[in-house]
Structure formats: structure tokens, C-alpha cells
């Protein structure tokens, strides 16, 4: 069993980029083929050895709780028919882990959402998955790769990928010094010493952007409590992590795998085509 057991899913956002679809349906429940985005994230966490899912929801998100639960009427209706197999995957998910929920009452940013989840996490290292970053791998999932790194380095880990310079204002961008580790490809591990939330291209410290996978140590909660609103007037996890980076406690990892930005319509369509071609129907 992994020493990281809990995974936090911030899922309180409005999903305005997908209106009107997200007026009554949480964006995390939008399906890529037949599976909601959030279920892909939960499956990635289970694959990484995590068994406790902590979901930060908000108003209008009740369908998330219903999804990760038994629907007796539906089970009864399709029991013994060919359609029963459609529920196999979600049943396996429900059996493999527990789910707990807390509500973010005010939307004050990703850092605030993570701090809201403290009540579900307590005093242990935990993963954070932003479900609209959908990742796929031929072998180990991204979170699984990151948990291994955590087990070795025992500090915060953020997943990064190279972006075009003009996209820097969509991401947290990091900079730092390469860590030499014979187990990892040259340049794939960086000891972070700077990070900026959504900088203009001219101010970006590098072309390495954070994607929605983090392993955090619980001392991040104390830092978040002291973090002032930053970009867009919101409490940013990037700003809190910068404080940890200043004392050498953040590693950035260029992960193996494919990632889709399902927070945008283009990325969502690419993910749908990719999984369709792959045969995950
Ligand atoms: C959030 C983070 C940002 C990160 C991104 C990854 O931004 O604030 O640092 O790069 O997720 O998807 P959001 O996309 O929620 O605006």
C-alpha cells in the first residue's frame, strides 16, 4: 500500500467555459465517451494505490455523490441482462475506495478549495487531481509515477509539461535546477525555486507549466492559511507552493504520458477522439 492514501479533487468550480451544458450538470460529470471526467481521475488515483477520495464540491454538485454510489433501482432493472456489464467499471471503483465530501461555500480559488479539503485530509501527505486535466498512459499513470517520487524525495511534487511560450498565461509556470537522478531521464526532475501563476509570456520564468496533478505535504495547509489573494484576486496554490519551494521542498516532474485540457472545448474534443480511436468505447 502506498504511503499516500488520500486524493483530493477540487470540484466546486462553475465550468463557465462549458455553458450551457454545465448549467445543471457539474463540469466534472461531463463524459468523455461514456465515462465522466471525475471517474477517470478517481481511477488514476486507485491505480496509484490511493483508497480515500476526498471531494470538494459546491452547490449544484449532488450528482457527483450519486455517481459514486449504488443506484438500486437501476441495478434492479438491468440485473441479469446484457446491459449489466455497463456498470462493472463504476462498481469496481466504488468497491476499491471510500468517498467523502465537503462543500466550498465561496469560490475563492484553487488554493482555497484545497484548504477547504483539510478537514477530509488531516495530517498526512495527499494527492490533488484536477479532473479537467485528463491523463492517459501506456504503463504507469501520472499519479502513480508521482507517488513513487514522493516516496523517494518526501516533499511536494508537481507535474509539469513543456508549453508554447504564448500559453504561459493559462498555467502556473515553474523554474528551478535540474536534479541528477539516474533513475530518471536527464532534465525530467527539477528542484523548484520559482513559480508564477499565469504569467504573461514576457514574465514567464520558463516554458514548464504545472498540470493538474500534485502531491502535497500537510504543512501546505498552514501556508495556505497565510496566503493572500493573488492572480485574479484568488488564493492560489501556486503562491503557497512558492513558499515551500523557497525552502527546497518542491520538485517538478516532467511526467510520461498524454494529457488533455478538458477544461477547454478543443481539449475535450481531442480527448474524446483519442479515447474513441484507442477503443475505450
Ligand atoms: C489551475 C492552477 C494552475 C495550473 C492549472 C493546471 O489553473 O491554478 O497553476 O497550471 O490548474 O490545469 P486553472 O486551470 O484551474 O485555471
Amino acid at each position: 500500500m502506498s504511503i499516500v492514501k488520500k486524493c483530493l479533487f477540487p470540484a466546486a468550480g462553475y465550468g463557465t467555459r462549458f455553458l450551457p451544458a454545465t448549467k445543471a450538470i457539474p463540469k466534472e460529470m461531463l463524459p468523455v465517451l461514456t465515462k465522466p471526467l471525475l471517474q477517470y481521475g478517481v481511477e488514476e488515483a486507485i491505480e496509484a494505490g490511493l483508497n480515500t477520495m476526498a471531494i470538494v464540491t459546491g452547490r449544484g454538485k449532488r450528482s457527483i455523490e450519486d455517481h459514486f454510489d449504488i443506484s438500486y433501482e437501476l441495478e434492479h432493472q438491468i440485473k441479469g441482462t446484457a446491459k449489466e456489464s455497463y456498470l462493472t467499471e463504476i462498481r469496481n471503483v466504488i468497491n476499491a475506495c471510500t468517498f467523502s465530501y465537503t462543500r466550498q461555500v465561496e469560490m475563492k480559488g484553487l488554493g482555497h478549495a484545497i484548504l477547504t479539503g483539510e478537514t477530509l485530509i488531516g495530517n498526512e501527505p495527499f494527492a490533488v487531481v484536477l479532473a479537467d486535466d485528463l491523463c492517459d498512459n501506456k504503463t504507469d499513470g501520472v499519479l502513480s509515477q508521482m507517488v513513487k517520487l514522493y516516496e523517494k524525495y518526501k516533499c511536494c511534487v508537481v507535474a509539469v509539461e513543456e508549453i508554447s511560450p504564448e500559453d504561459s498565461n493559462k498555467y502556473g509556470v515553474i523554474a528551478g535546477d535540474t536534479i541528477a537522478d539516474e533513475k530518471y531521464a536527464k532534465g525530467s526532475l527539477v528542484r523548484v525555486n520559482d513559480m508564477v501563476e499565469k504569467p504573461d509570456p514576457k514574465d514567464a520564468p520558463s516554458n514548464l507549466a504545472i498540470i493538474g496533478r500534485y502531491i502535497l505535504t500537510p504543512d501546505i495547509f498552514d501556508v495556505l492559511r497565510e496566503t493572500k489573494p493573488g492572480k485574479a484576486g484568488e488564493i492560489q496554490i501556486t503562491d503557497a507552493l512558492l513558499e515551500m519551494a523557497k525552502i527546497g521542498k518542491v520538485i517538478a516532474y516532467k511526467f510520461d504520458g498524454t494529457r488533455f485540457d478538458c477544461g477547454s472545448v478543443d481539449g475535450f474534443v481531442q480527448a474524446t477522439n483519442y479515447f474513441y480511436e484507442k477503443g475505450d468505447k
Side-chain angles (χ1 to χ4, degrees), residues 154-157 191-195 215-224 227 237-251:
K154 302 279 190 326
C155 68
C156 297
V157 184
R191 180 76 63 184
V192 178
N193 56 30
D194 195 13
M195 42 205 314
I215 307 276
L216 302 176
T217 51
D219 43 355
I220 195 73
F221 294 127
D222 287 335
V223 181
L224 277 168
T227 302
I237 188 63
T238 307
D239 294 342
L241 278 168
L242 175 58
E243 295 308 309
M244 308 281 275
K246 284 179 187 163
I247 50 171
K249 288 189 164 178
V250 182
I251 286 177

PDB file of all heavy atoms in Angstrom, residues 154-157 191-195 215-224 227 237-251:
ATOM      1  N   LYS A 154      10.136  12.680  -0.476  1.00  0.00           N
ATOM      2  CA  LYS A 154       9.362  13.139   0.693  1.00  0.00           C
ATOM      3  C   LYS A 154       9.139  14.659   0.717  1.00  0.00           C
ATOM      4  O   LYS A 154       9.330  15.312   1.751  1.00  0.00           O
ATOM      5  CB  LYS A 154      10.063  12.720   1.995  1.00  0.00           C
ATOM      6  CG  LYS A 154      10.286  11.226   2.144  1.00  0.00           C
ATOM      7  CD  LYS A 154       9.048  10.535   2.631  1.00  0.00           C
ATOM      8  CE  LYS A 154       9.213   9.097   3.041  1.00  0.00           C
ATOM      9  NZ  LYS A 154      10.140   8.248   2.354  1.00  0.00           N
ATOM     10  N   CYS A 155       8.789  15.196  -0.442  1.00  0.00           N
ATOM     11  CA  CYS A 155       8.437  16.618  -0.468  1.00  0.00           C
ATOM     12  C   CYS A 155       7.329  16.804  -1.505  1.00  0.00           C
ATOM     13  O   CYS A 155       6.906  15.833  -2.140  1.00  0.00           O
ATOM     14  CB  CYS A 155       9.654  17.483  -0.790  1.00  0.00           C
ATOM     15  SG  CYS A 155      10.256  17.260  -2.468  1.00  0.00           S
ATOM     16  N   CYS A 156       6.849  18.031  -1.665  1.00  0.00           N
ATOM     17  CA  CYS A 156       5.772  18.274  -2.635  1.00  0.00           C
ATOM     18  C   CYS A 156       6.267  17.980  -4.046  1.00  0.00           C
ATOM     19  O   CYS A 156       7.434  18.234  -4.384  1.00  0.00           O
ATOM     20  CB  CYS A 156       5.312  19.731  -2.567  1.00  0.00           C
ATOM     21  SG  CYS A 156       4.598  20.176  -0.971  1.00  0.00           S
ATOM     22  N   VAL A 157       5.392  17.441  -4.861  1.00  0.00           N
ATOM     23  CA  VAL A 157       5.718  17.125  -6.254  1.00  0.00           C
ATOM     24  C   VAL A 157       4.624  17.731  -7.142  1.00  0.00           C
ATOM     25  O   VAL A 157       3.437  17.545  -6.867  1.00  0.00           O
ATOM     26  CB  VAL A 157       5.766  15.594  -6.496  1.00  0.00           C
ATOM     27  CG1 VAL A 157       6.203  15.285  -7.921  1.00  0.00           C
ATOM     28  CG2 VAL A 157       6.682  14.899  -5.486  1.00  0.00           C
ATOM     29  N   ARG A 191      14.381  20.802  -9.076  1.00  0.00           N
ATOM     30  CA  ARG A 191      14.155  21.368  -7.733  1.00  0.00           C
ATOM     31  C   ARG A 191      13.663  22.799  -7.960  1.00  0.00           C
ATOM     32  O   ARG A 191      14.377  23.652  -8.477  1.00  0.00           O
ATOM     33  CB  ARG A 191      15.477  21.356  -6.958  1.00  0.00           C
ATOM     34  CG  ARG A 191      15.390  21.907  -5.578  1.00  0.00           C
ATOM     35  CD  ARG A 191      14.741  20.986  -4.576  1.00  0.00           C
ATOM     36  NE  ARG A 191      15.465  19.741  -4.357  1.00  0.00           N
ATOM     37  CZ  ARG A 191      15.023  18.747  -3.571  1.00  0.00           C
ATOM     38  NH1 ARG A 191      13.876  18.846  -2.953  1.00  0.00           N
ATOM     39  NH2 ARG A 191      15.732  17.642  -3.431  1.00  0.00           N
ATOM     40  N   VAL A 192      12.419  23.040  -7.623  1.00  0.00           N
ATOM     41  CA  VAL A 192      11.787  24.316  -7.990  1.00  0.00           C
ATOM     42  C   VAL A 192      12.295  25.439  -7.088  1.00  0.00           C
ATOM     43  O   VAL A 192      12.377  25.274  -5.867  1.00  0.00           O
ATOM     44  CB  VAL A 192      10.245  24.195  -7.868  1.00  0.00           C
ATOM     45  CG1 VAL A 192       9.564  25.519  -8.201  1.00  0.00           C
ATOM     46  CG2 VAL A 192       9.723  23.086  -8.779  1.00  0.00           C
ATOM     47  N   ASN A 193      12.637  26.583  -7.700  1.00  0.00           N
ATOM     48  CA  ASN A 193      12.958  27.754  -6.878  1.00  0.00           C
ATOM     49  C   ASN A 193      12.137  28.984  -7.256  1.00  0.00           C
ATOM     50  O   ASN A 193      12.237  30.032  -6.640  1.00  0.00           O
ATOM     51  CB  ASN A 193      14.466  28.055  -6.879  1.00  0.00           C
ATOM     52  CG  ASN A 193      15.011  28.238  -8.281  1.00  0.00           C
ATOM     53  OD1 ASN A 193      14.293  28.689  -9.186  1.00  0.00           O
ATOM     54  ND2 ASN A 193      16.277  27.871  -8.481  1.00  0.00           N
ATOM     55  N   ASP A 194      11.314  28.836  -8.291  1.00  0.00           N
ATOM     56  CA  ASP A 194      10.417  29.959  -8.633  1.00  0.00           C
ATOM     57  C   ASP A 194       9.150  29.398  -9.241  1.00  0.00           C
ATOM     58  O   ASP A 194       9.191  28.378  -9.946  1.00  0.00           O
ATOM     59  CB  ASP A 194      11.106  30.903  -9.626  1.00  0.00           C
ATOM     60  CG  ASP A 194      10.381  32.242  -9.729  1.00  0.00           C
ATOM     61  OD1 ASP A 194       9.512  32.522  -8.869  1.00  0.00           O
ATOM     62  OD2 ASP A 194      10.684  33.003 -10.668  1.00  0.00           O
ATOM     63  N   MET A 195       8.042  29.990  -8.945  1.00  0.00           N
ATOM     64  CA  MET A 195       6.799  29.640  -9.623  1.00  0.00           C
ATOM     65  C   MET A 195       5.868  30.842  -9.654  1.00  0.00           C
ATOM     66  O   MET A 195       5.782  31.610  -8.699  1.00  0.00           O
ATOM     67  CB  MET A 195       6.129  28.383  -9.038  1.00  0.00           C
ATOM     68  CG  MET A 195       6.095  28.236  -7.570  1.00  0.00           C
ATOM     69  SD  MET A 195       5.977  26.474  -7.039  1.00  0.00           S
ATOM     70  CE  MET A 195       4.729  25.799  -8.078  1.00  0.00           C
ATOM     71  N   ILE A 215       1.337  16.227  -5.527  1.00  0.00           N
ATOM     72  CA  ILE A 215       1.412  15.529  -4.241  1.00  0.00           C
ATOM     73  C   ILE A 215       1.837  16.608  -3.241  1.00  0.00           C
ATOM     74  O   ILE A 215       2.835  17.306  -3.470  1.00  0.00           O
ATOM     75  CB  ILE A 215       2.470  14.401  -4.219  1.00  0.00           C
ATOM     76  CG1 ILE A 215       2.283  13.418  -5.373  1.00  0.00           C
ATOM     77  CG2 ILE A 215       2.462  13.695  -2.848  1.00  0.00           C
ATOM     78  CD1 ILE A 215       1.310  12.317  -5.196  1.00  0.00           C
ATOM     79  N   LEU A 216       1.070  16.756  -2.183  1.00  0.00           N
ATOM     80  CA  LEU A 216       1.349  17.830  -1.230  1.00  0.00           C
ATOM     81  C   LEU A 216       1.557  17.259   0.164  1.00  0.00           C
ATOM     82  O   LEU A 216       0.946  16.236   0.528  1.00  0.00           O
ATOM     83  CB  LEU A 216       0.170  18.819  -1.204  1.00  0.00           C
ATOM     84  CG  LEU A 216      -0.169  19.467  -2.558  1.00  0.00           C
ATOM     85  CD1 LEU A 216      -1.409  20.354  -2.429  1.00  0.00           C
ATOM     86  CD2 LEU A 216       1.007  20.288  -3.089  1.00  0.00           C
ATOM     87  N   THR A 217       2.403  17.921   0.924  1.00  0.00           N
ATOM     88  CA  THR A 217       2.584  17.543   2.323  1.00  0.00           C
ATOM     89  C   THR A 217       1.637  18.418   3.158  1.00  0.00           C
ATOM     90  O   THR A 217       1.291  19.538   2.742  1.00  0.00           O
ATOM     91  CB  THR A 217       4.060  17.740   2.750  1.00  0.00           C
ATOM     92  OG1 THR A 217       4.474  19.065   2.376  1.00  0.00           O
ATOM     93  CG2 THR A 217       4.965  16.735   2.055  1.00  0.00           C
ATOM     94  N   PRO A 218       1.198  17.919   4.317  1.00  0.00           N
ATOM     95  CA  PRO A 218       0.117  18.626   5.015  1.00  0.00           C
ATOM     96  C   PRO A 218       0.504  20.001   5.553  1.00  0.00           C
ATOM     97  O   PRO A 218      -0.390  20.802   5.863  1.00  0.00           O
ATOM     98  CB  PRO A 218      -0.265  17.667   6.151  1.00  0.00           C
ATOM     99  CG  PRO A 218       0.885  16.736   6.302  1.00  0.00           C
ATOM    100  CD  PRO A 218       1.543  16.644   4.970  1.00  0.00           C
ATOM    101  N   ASP A 219       1.821  20.296   5.616  1.00  0.00           N
ATOM    102  CA  ASP A 219       2.200  21.651   6.055  1.00  0.00           C
ATOM    103  C   ASP A 219       1.744  22.719   5.053  1.00  0.00           C
ATOM    104  O   ASP A 219       1.733  23.908   5.362  1.00  0.00           O
ATOM    105  CB  ASP A 219       3.711  21.757   6.357  1.00  0.00           C
ATOM    106  CG  ASP A 219       4.586  21.062   5.334  1.00  0.00           C
ATOM    107  OD1 ASP A 219       4.035  20.409   4.412  1.00  0.00           O
ATOM    108  OD2 ASP A 219       5.827  21.172   5.449  1.00  0.00           O
ATOM    109  N   ILE A 220       1.317  22.297   3.867  1.00  0.00           N
ATOM    110  CA  ILE A 220       0.792  23.257   2.882  1.00  0.00           C
ATOM    111  C   ILE A 220      -0.448  23.979   3.445  1.00  0.00           C
ATOM    112  O   ILE A 220      -0.697  25.136   3.110  1.00  0.00           O
ATOM    113  CB  ILE A 220       0.439  22.551   1.539  1.00  0.00           C
ATOM    114  CG1 ILE A 220       0.243  23.567   0.400  1.00  0.00           C
ATOM    115  CG2 ILE A 220      -0.814  21.687   1.652  1.00  0.00           C
ATOM    116  CD1 ILE A 220       1.470  24.192  -0.116  1.00  0.00           C
ATOM    117  N   PHE A 221      -1.195  23.318   4.339  1.00  0.00           N
ATOM    118  CA  PHE A 221      -2.416  23.956   4.865  1.00  0.00           C
ATOM    119  C   PHE A 221      -2.070  25.197   5.687  1.00  0.00           C
ATOM    120  O   PHE A 221      -2.753  26.218   5.583  1.00  0.00           O
ATOM    121  CB  PHE A 221      -3.225  22.956   5.709  1.00  0.00           C
ATOM    122  CG  PHE A 221      -3.792  21.805   4.911  1.00  0.00           C
ATOM    123  CD1 PHE A 221      -3.557  20.489   5.295  1.00  0.00           C
ATOM    124  CD2 PHE A 221      -4.580  22.034   3.785  1.00  0.00           C
ATOM    125  CE1 PHE A 221      -4.087  19.427   4.572  1.00  0.00           C
ATOM    126  CE2 PHE A 221      -5.110  20.969   3.049  1.00  0.00           C
ATOM    127  CZ  PHE A 221      -4.867  19.668   3.446  1.00  0.00           C
ATOM    128  N   ASP A 222      -1.013  25.101   6.488  1.00  0.00           N
ATOM    129  CA  ASP A 222      -0.615  26.281   7.278  1.00  0.00           C
ATOM    130  C   ASP A 222      -0.179  27.414   6.353  1.00  0.00           C
ATOM    131  O   ASP A 222      -0.470  28.577   6.601  1.00  0.00           O
ATOM    132  CB  ASP A 222       0.538  25.926   8.236  1.00  0.00           C
ATOM    133  CG  ASP A 222       0.049  25.066   9.392  1.00  0.00           C
ATOM    134  OD1 ASP A 222      -1.152  25.146   9.714  1.00  0.00           O
ATOM    135  OD2 ASP A 222       0.867  24.295   9.941  1.00  0.00           O
ATOM    136  N   VAL A 223       0.516  27.051   5.287  1.00  0.00           N
ATOM    137  CA  VAL A 223       0.966  28.084   4.338  1.00  0.00           C
ATOM    138  C   VAL A 223      -0.266  28.698   3.647  1.00  0.00           C
ATOM    139  O   VAL A 223      -0.362  29.922   3.506  1.00  0.00           O
ATOM    140  CB  VAL A 223       1.937  27.484   3.288  1.00  0.00           C
ATOM    141  CG1 VAL A 223       2.403  28.567   2.324  1.00  0.00           C
ATOM    142  CG2 VAL A 223       3.131  26.827   3.968  1.00  0.00           C
ATOM    143  N   LEU A 224      -1.206  27.854   3.255  1.00  0.00           N
ATOM    144  CA  LEU A 224      -2.406  28.363   2.564  1.00  0.00           C
ATOM    145  C   LEU A 224      -3.202  29.326   3.454  1.00  0.00           C
ATOM    146  O   LEU A 224      -3.752  30.322   2.971  1.00  0.00           O
ATOM    147  CB  LEU A 224      -3.302  27.198   2.138  1.00  0.00           C
ATOM    148  CG  LEU A 224      -2.917  26.507   0.827  1.00  0.00           C
ATOM    149  CD1 LEU A 224      -3.679  25.199   0.660  1.00  0.00           C
ATOM    150  CD2 LEU A 224      -3.141  27.421  -0.383  1.00  0.00           C
ATOM    151  N   THR A 227      -1.745  32.598   2.961  1.00  0.00           N
ATOM    152  CA  THR A 227      -1.555  33.068   1.580  1.00  0.00           C
ATOM    153  C   THR A 227      -2.601  34.115   1.215  1.00  0.00           C
ATOM    154  O   THR A 227      -3.803  33.889   1.371  1.00  0.00           O
ATOM    155  CB  THR A 227      -1.620  31.870   0.595  1.00  0.00           C
ATOM    156  OG1 THR A 227      -0.617  30.930   0.969  1.00  0.00           O
ATOM    157  CG2 THR A 227      -1.386  32.316  -0.844  1.00  0.00           C
ATOM    158  N   ILE A 237      -2.818  28.071  -5.210  1.00  0.00           N
ATOM    159  CA  ILE A 237      -1.923  27.015  -4.711  1.00  0.00           C
ATOM    160  C   ILE A 237      -0.494  27.290  -5.184  1.00  0.00           C
ATOM    161  O   ILE A 237       0.475  26.991  -4.476  1.00  0.00           O
ATOM    162  CB  ILE A 237      -2.416  25.599  -5.136  1.00  0.00           C
ATOM    163  CG1 ILE A 237      -1.602  24.502  -4.449  1.00  0.00           C
ATOM    164  CG2 ILE A 237      -2.370  25.402  -6.641  1.00  0.00           C
ATOM    165  CD1 ILE A 237      -1.689  24.442  -2.965  1.00  0.00           C
ATOM    166  N   THR A 238      -0.363  27.891  -6.354  1.00  0.00           N
ATOM    167  CA  THR A 238       0.974  28.205  -6.878  1.00  0.00           C
ATOM    168  C   THR A 238       1.726  29.130  -5.906  1.00  0.00           C
ATOM    169  O   THR A 238       2.921  28.931  -5.656  1.00  0.00           O
ATOM    170  CB  THR A 238       0.856  28.878  -8.264  1.00  0.00           C
ATOM    171  OG1 THR A 238       0.056  28.036  -9.092  1.00  0.00           O
ATOM    172  CG2 THR A 238       2.201  29.103  -8.915  1.00  0.00           C
ATOM    173  N   ASP A 239       1.036  30.125  -5.351  1.00  0.00           N
ATOM    174  CA  ASP A 239       1.687  31.064  -4.422  1.00  0.00           C
ATOM    175  C   ASP A 239       2.097  30.352  -3.133  1.00  0.00           C
ATOM    176  O   ASP A 239       3.180  30.601  -2.583  1.00  0.00           O
ATOM    177  CB  ASP A 239       0.749  32.236  -4.089  1.00  0.00           C
ATOM    178  CG  ASP A 239       0.467  33.100  -5.304  1.00  0.00           C
ATOM    179  OD1 ASP A 239       1.241  33.019  -6.289  1.00  0.00           O
ATOM    180  OD2 ASP A 239      -0.540  33.847  -5.292  1.00  0.00           O
ATOM    181  N   ALA A 240       1.226  29.451  -2.640  1.00  0.00           N
ATOM    182  CA  ALA A 240       1.560  28.712  -1.421  1.00  0.00           C
ATOM    183  C   ALA A 240       2.756  27.795  -1.684  1.00  0.00           C
ATOM    184  O   ALA A 240       3.683  27.699  -0.867  1.00  0.00           O
ATOM    185  CB  ALA A 240       0.351  27.903  -0.956  1.00  0.00           C
ATOM    186  N   LEU A 241       2.756  27.153  -2.841  1.00  0.00           N
ATOM    187  CA  LEU A 241       3.871  26.248  -3.161  1.00  0.00           C
ATOM    188  C   LEU A 241       5.185  27.006  -3.327  1.00  0.00           C
ATOM    189  O   LEU A 241       6.257  26.465  -3.044  1.00  0.00           O
ATOM    190  CB  LEU A 241       3.553  25.447  -4.429  1.00  0.00           C
ATOM    191  CG  LEU A 241       2.666  24.218  -4.200  1.00  0.00           C
ATOM    192  CD1 LEU A 241       2.173  23.656  -5.531  1.00  0.00           C
ATOM    193  CD2 LEU A 241       3.436  23.136  -3.442  1.00  0.00           C
ATOM    194  N   LEU A 242       5.102  28.257  -3.772  1.00  0.00           N
ATOM    195  CA  LEU A 242       6.334  29.044  -3.902  1.00  0.00           C
ATOM    196  C   LEU A 242       7.024  29.175  -2.534  1.00  0.00           C
ATOM    197  O   LEU A 242       8.253  29.102  -2.433  1.00  0.00           O
ATOM    198  CB  LEU A 242       6.028  30.431  -4.498  1.00  0.00           C
ATOM    199  CG  LEU A 242       7.213  31.391  -4.580  1.00  0.00           C
ATOM    200  CD1 LEU A 242       8.360  30.812  -5.420  1.00  0.00           C
ATOM    201  CD2 LEU A 242       6.782  32.749  -5.156  1.00  0.00           C
ATOM    202  N   GLU A 243       6.207  29.343  -1.486  1.00  0.00           N
ATOM    203  CA  GLU A 243       6.795  29.427  -0.132  1.00  0.00           C
ATOM    204  C   GLU A 243       7.525  28.128   0.220  1.00  0.00           C
ATOM    205  O   GLU A 243       8.597  28.151   0.821  1.00  0.00           O
ATOM    206  CB  GLU A 243       5.703  29.716   0.917  1.00  0.00           C
ATOM    207  CG  GLU A 243       5.048  31.074   0.758  1.00  0.00           C
ATOM    208  CD  GLU A 243       6.079  32.203   0.691  1.00  0.00           C
ATOM    209  OE1 GLU A 243       6.950  32.262   1.585  1.00  0.00           O
ATOM    210  OE2 GLU A 243       6.013  33.003  -0.262  1.00  0.00           O
ATOM    211  N   MET A 244       6.932  27.009  -0.166  1.00  0.00           N
ATOM    212  CA  MET A 244       7.585  25.711   0.100  1.00  0.00           C
ATOM    213  C   MET A 244       8.833  25.565  -0.780  1.00  0.00           C
ATOM    214  O   MET A 244       9.846  24.988  -0.358  1.00  0.00           O
ATOM    215  CB  MET A 244       6.635  24.552  -0.217  1.00  0.00           C
ATOM    216  CG  MET A 244       5.273  24.635   0.436  1.00  0.00           C
ATOM    217  SD  MET A 244       5.305  24.122   2.153  1.00  0.00           S
ATOM    218  CE  MET A 244       5.114  22.371   1.979  1.00  0.00           C
ATOM    219  N   ALA A 245       8.747  26.071  -2.005  1.00  0.00           N
ATOM    220  CA  ALA A 245       9.881  25.962  -2.937  1.00  0.00           C
ATOM    221  C   ALA A 245      11.088  26.745  -2.404  1.00  0.00           C
ATOM    222  O   ALA A 245      12.236  26.332  -2.582  1.00  0.00           O
ATOM    223  CB  ALA A 245       9.475  26.467  -4.318  1.00  0.00           C
ATOM    224  N   LYS A 246      10.807  27.870  -1.745  1.00  0.00           N
ATOM    225  CA  LYS A 246      11.907  28.709  -1.233  1.00  0.00           C
ATOM    226  C   LYS A 246      12.756  27.950  -0.225  1.00  0.00           C
ATOM    227  O   LYS A 246      13.911  28.296   0.013  1.00  0.00           O
ATOM    228  CB  LYS A 246      11.335  29.976  -0.581  1.00  0.00           C
ATOM    229  CG  LYS A 246      10.871  31.020  -1.586  1.00  0.00           C
ATOM    230  CD  LYS A 246      10.294  32.218  -0.844  1.00  0.00           C
ATOM    231  CE  LYS A 246       9.670  33.197  -1.811  1.00  0.00           C
ATOM    232  NZ  LYS A 246       8.766  34.139  -1.111  1.00  0.00           N
ATOM    233  N   ILE A 247      12.161  26.946   0.428  1.00  0.00           N
ATOM    234  CA  ILE A 247      12.952  26.127   1.368  1.00  0.00           C
ATOM    235  C   ILE A 247      13.270  24.751   0.764  1.00  0.00           C
ATOM    236  O   ILE A 247      13.539  23.780   1.478  1.00  0.00           O
ATOM    237  CB  ILE A 247      12.272  26.014   2.758  1.00  0.00           C
ATOM    238  CG1 ILE A 247      10.799  25.604   2.627  1.00  0.00           C
ATOM    239  CG2 ILE A 247      12.383  27.325   3.518  1.00  0.00           C
ATOM    240  CD1 ILE A 247      10.129  25.276   3.959  1.00  0.00           C
ATOM    241  N   GLY A 248      13.210  24.680  -0.552  1.00  0.00           N
ATOM    242  CA  GLY A 248      13.671  23.474  -1.259  1.00  0.00           C
ATOM    243  C   GLY A 248      12.723  22.296  -1.203  1.00  0.00           C
ATOM    244  O   GLY A 248      13.127  21.156  -1.433  1.00  0.00           O
ATOM    245  N   LYS A 249      11.442  22.557  -0.920  1.00  0.00           N
ATOM    246  CA  LYS A 249      10.530  21.430  -0.687  1.00  0.00           C
ATOM    247  C   LYS A 249       9.541  21.168  -1.814  1.00  0.00           C
ATOM    248  O   LYS A 249       8.464  20.602  -1.588  1.00  0.00           O
ATOM    249  CB  LYS A 249       9.773  21.655   0.622  1.00  0.00           C
ATOM    250  CG  LYS A 249      10.659  21.477   1.832  1.00  0.00           C
ATOM    251  CD  LYS A 249       9.815  21.481   3.076  1.00  0.00           C
ATOM    252  CE  LYS A 249      10.573  20.935   4.259  1.00  0.00           C
ATOM    253  NZ  LYS A 249       9.761  20.994   5.467  1.00  0.00           N
ATOM    254  N   VAL A 250       9.903  21.593  -3.036  1.00  0.00           N
ATOM    255  CA  VAL A 250       9.021  21.292  -4.175  1.00  0.00           C
ATOM    256  C   VAL A 250       9.856  20.761  -5.343  1.00  0.00           C
ATOM    257  O   VAL A 250      10.863  21.366  -5.731  1.00  0.00           O
ATOM    258  CB  VAL A 250       8.241  22.543  -4.649  1.00  0.00           C
ATOM    259  CG1 VAL A 250       7.295  22.181  -5.799  1.00  0.00           C
ATOM    260  CG2 VAL A 250       7.449  23.180  -3.510  1.00  0.00           C
ATOM    261  N   ILE A 251       9.408  19.628  -5.871  1.00  0.00           N
ATOM    262  CA  ILE A 251      10.029  19.054  -7.069  1.00  0.00           C
ATOM    263  C   ILE A 251       9.020  19.137  -8.211  1.00  0.00           C
ATOM    264  O   ILE A 251       7.829  18.867  -8.002  1.00  0.00           O
ATOM    265  CB  ILE A 251      10.404  17.575  -6.825  1.00  0.00           C
ATOM    266  CG1 ILE A 251      11.623  17.483  -5.921  1.00  0.00           C
ATOM    267  CG2 ILE A 251      10.674  16.843  -8.116  1.00  0.00           C
ATOM    268  CD1 ILE A 251      11.988  16.050  -5.589  1.00  0.00           C
TER     269      ILE A 251
END
